[in-house]
Amino acid sequence: MEFSEERLGILKKLINDPLKQKDTIAVMSDTDAVTSMRLEKDGGITLRFDLGREILVEGLYNETGELHITQKGERASISLETQTMDNEELNELDFSQYGILDGENIVSLQEMGAKMIERFVNSNGGFAGFVMTTDNGQIIADNLFNIYTLSFINKNRTLEMDV
């Protein structure tokens, strides 16, 4: 496909549309892939792609790669970091920015009325899930999901681009 500003605009619109983003990225998945990584002296990581470009990233994160879209059109993905947090850290989370899977939708802890969250462990001390206490009792969930609202992205991430 030849490059044009019009095609770039169409692609940008598709990637920024939460309902079409997943399909758009899937279609493009074979266009460029990471072929190598290099740890720089300053701690950054340079990624080299098969088409020759390189980008410098501050760090790599171990996430599941699954992307969910909430009924509000927000993006959500499993938060692996919460599985290792203690109860105090869990209760310091912004309950509007984390949620659980309810059927096929992600519902924020705030929306479900969570007052407290606890890490649930099995008999040998391994992570087993989360217990949320609400006014109506307790809810158990396997995972917590980051809900990527604009305020969450601005609070937790900075995006920089070399021009």
Side-chain angles (χ1 to χ4, degrees), residues 36-118:
S36 64
M37 293 184 280
R38 180 178 59 234
L39 181 61
E40 303 295 341
K41 291 178 182 175
D42 66 358
I45 300 168
T46 299
L47 301 178
R48 174 171 275 173
F49 292 82
D50 58 2
L51 295 178
R53 71 185 175 105
E54 291 184 356
I55 61 170
L56 179 65
V57 295
E58 293 178 8
L60 299 177
Y61 301 90
N62 181 14
E63 291 291 344
T64 64
E66 292 181 15
L67 179 67
H68 300 268
I69 305 298
T70 68
Q71 288 180 342
K72 296 179 183 177
E74 300 161 330
R75 295 165 180 86
S77 64
I78 293 175
S79 174
L80 296 177
E81 66 185 9
T82 56
Q83 295 178 4
T84 59
M85 291 180 175
D86 61 32
N87 291 341
E88 185 177 315
E89 290 171 313
L90 288 170
N91 284 290
E92 290 175 2
L93 294 174
D94 181 346
F95 282 14
S96 68
Q97 303 297 318
Y98 289 85
I100 63 169
L101 191 60
D102 181 23
E104 292 187 20
N105 189 35
I106 306 293
V107 178
S108 75
L109 298 175
Q110 185 177 50
E111 287 176 294
M112 61 179 272
K115 305 293 182 200
M116 185 178 78
I117 183 168
E118 296 175 84

Side-chain angles (χ1 to χ4, degrees), residues 119-128:
R119 190 169 175 263
F120 182 61
V121 294
N122 57 28
S123 59
N124 60 1
F127 172 78

Side-chain angles (χ1 to χ4, degrees), residues 106-162:
I106 306 293
V107 178
S108 75
L109 298 175
Q110 185 177 50
E111 287 176 294
M112 61 179 272
K115 305 293 182 200
M116 185 178 78
I117 183 168
E118 296 175 84
R119 190 169 175 263
F120 182 61
V121 294
N122 57 28
S123 59
N124 60 1
F127 172 78
F130 299 97
V131 178
M132 279 71 59
T133 302
T134 68
D135 289 337
N136 299 325
Q138 293 184 325
I139 298 171
I140 298 175
D142 294 338
N143 294 298
L144 288 185
F145 290 78
N146 288 333
I147 301 173
Y148 295 100
T149 60
L150 189 56
S151 62
F152 183 85
I153 292 169
N154 288 338
K155 181 172 56 177
N156 295 304
R157 290 178 167 61
T158 57
L159 302 175
E160 296 178 14
M161 181 188 246
D162 290 335

